[in-house]
């Protein structure tokens, strides 16, 4: 069992796996935080409409889920980050 990188609590893999279900094919092995430190926001990804993961200490909800961000990096070779660029006026 690994400690949470955020609060150092032991990660309850069963609880976190249940919480991560909306994040497509990701599992507890893809994260290093416990269920108390992970927030899942449904329908927030601008690319697939899926859920996104937000660490408890972060205020902004990401625009891309981890899977879509990874897909964009694989396709373009460029990391878009978690947020889309702001549209210039």
């Amino acid at each position: 069992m690994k400690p949470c990188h955020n609060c150092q609590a032991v990660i309850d893999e069963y609880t976190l796996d249940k919480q991560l279900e909306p994040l497509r094919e990701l599992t507890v092995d893809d994260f290093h935080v416990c269920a108390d430190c992970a927030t899942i926001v449904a329908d927030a990804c601008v690319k697939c409409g899926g859920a996104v993961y937000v660490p408890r200490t972060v205020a902004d909800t990401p625009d891309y889920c981890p899977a879509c961000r990874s897909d964009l990096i694989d396709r373009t070779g460029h990391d878009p980050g978690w947020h889309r660029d702001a549209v210039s006026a």
Side-chain angles (χ1 to χ4, degrees), residues 2-89:
K2 299 177 184 176
C4 172
H5 282 217
N6 191 46
C7 71
Q8 299 305 308
V10 174
I11 296 172
D12 180 337
E13 293 181 7
Y14 176 79
T15 303
L16 186 56
D17 269 340
K18 284 297 196 187
Q19 188 171 333
L20 296 175
E21 282 180 14
L23 290 177
R24 297 184 355 181
E25 298 173 5
L26 300 177
T27 68
V28 69
D29 294 329
D30 298 304
F31 292 84
H32 298 288
V33 294
C34 66
D36 291 335
C37 292
T39 300
I40 306 301
V41 179
D43 307 322
C45 180
V46 297
K47 188 164 173 23
C48 72
V52 298
Y53 152 74
V54 185
R56 182 171 52 176
T57 56
V58 175
D60 295 334
T61 300
D63 293 317
Y64 297 108
C65 70
C68 286
R69 181 180 180 203
S70 177
D71 289 346
L72 286 168
I73 292 169
D74 288 346
R75 274 197 343 236
T76 66
H78 173 350
D79 183 356
W82 293 109
H83 301 281
R84 290 188 294 185
D85 291 334
V87 176
S88 345

